[in-house]
Amino acid sequence: MHYHLYKNAGTSFDHVLRHNFGARHECFDGPYPFFTIDQEQLDRIIMRRPEVVAFSSHQVVLPQPSSLEYRVFAALFLRNPFLRIASIYRFKRGPERGDGVPLGALPPGELPAALADCGLAEPPPFDMTSTGIAARQHDFAGWVAHCLATPAETVHVSNAQTRFLAAPSRSRPLLRRSGTGIEYDLATALRMLAGVELLGRAESFESDVARFGTILADHGLALTLPAQTRHNVTRQDAGSTDAQVTAVLDPLPQALRDRLVRANAQDLALYDRASALISRDHRP
């Protein structure tokens, strides 16, 4: 079961699953983005689709269901929180004209020429959420400041991955808002993380998925990497993870940079724990 976290290499992993399992891989979500699919509902889906080997969803929640009829291997990717936030910004902002102006912010009369310059026949679907509108109105620093100052938007830039893992079974995650950001129950998140069999990092996608293959082979399942692994990538950055993080954070004003780091202390701890578990070849 692929627990697809937004902007965490999930589309790339779905491609791996389709490459390996074809029609025996299915993606599903509810009709609204705020839906969640709990363990009992996921059990019903699995039991009614016995021919399917792999499922993917943005809306399923951990822990994975237990059953005497099947075994669920949870697959989950984490990402350095600052690289994830920068990716969300680029995705929400959408494609840009050569001068850096987002296409979604252009007056209608300028859009056809800009589309042609970008090699696009039709306008892409522009994100019309308040987060997307703000991304087109601000540069990265301005957007981060806007999100941290707007309670409804802070969830995008403060410990979002901890939020996903911090919810007890069939419950909402505990949270506390502060002047720094949003804090969740990190202890619960770390326990949940330790129960994920197929744990990966977006920055180490190929090597971590290769490790999945060795784990699944012990249970009679084959998983191999296709020739092309990266899909729905807003930008392919070169350099080490540390270098990429530096490139994201260094241009920010010092006070904003410090606040963003404090606002993601839990996500950093979660990412470091995931890296430690993977380095030890942890297998629940």
Side-chain angles (χ1 to χ4, degrees), residues 201 211 273-282:
R201 297 153 298 180
R211 177 176 170 270
R273 178 67 62 87
S275 295
L277 290 172
I278 292 167
S279 69
R280 298 201 303 264
D281 197 25
H282 172 74

Side-chain angles (χ1 to χ4, degrees), residues 57-111:
S57 175
H58 295 84
Q59 295 176 331
V60 288
V61 292
L62 287 163
Q64 53 269 55
S66 60
S67 175
L68 298 176
E69 304 299 327
Y70 58 81
R71 177 173 176 181
V72 172
F73 291 88
L76 175 72
F77 288 86
L78 296 184
R79 189 172 188 178
N80 176 280
F82 309 116
L83 300 185
R84 182 177 186 271
I85 290 166
S87 179
I88 290 172
Y89 170 72
R90 292 192 298 269
F91 182 78
K92 292 286 187 181
R93 187 172 172 86
E96 297 177 343
R97 198 168 60 180
D99 59 1
V101 176
L103 300 190
L106 291 173
E110 296 182 24
L111 189 56

Side-chain angles (χ1 to χ4, degrees), residues 151-209:
E153 307 287 5
T154 306
V155 66
H156 299 293
V157 296
S158 180
N159 295 321
Q161 296 169 105
T162 304
R163 178 184 184 276
F164 176 80
L165 286 157
S169 179
R170 306 187 74 176
S171 301
R172 292 180 178 273
L174 301 175
L175 66 88
R176 177 171 56 207
R177 291 183 180 269
S178 69
T180 299
I182 308 176
E183 295 178 352
Y184 301 95
D185 182 358
L186 181 60
T188 294
L190 293 172
R191 286 195 299 270
M192 203 76 76
L193 186 74
V196 175
E197 293 90 350
L198 307 177
L199 181 59
R201 297 153 298 180
E203 296 82 6
S204 305
F205 182 81
E206 287 81 6
S207 61
D208 287 350
V209 173

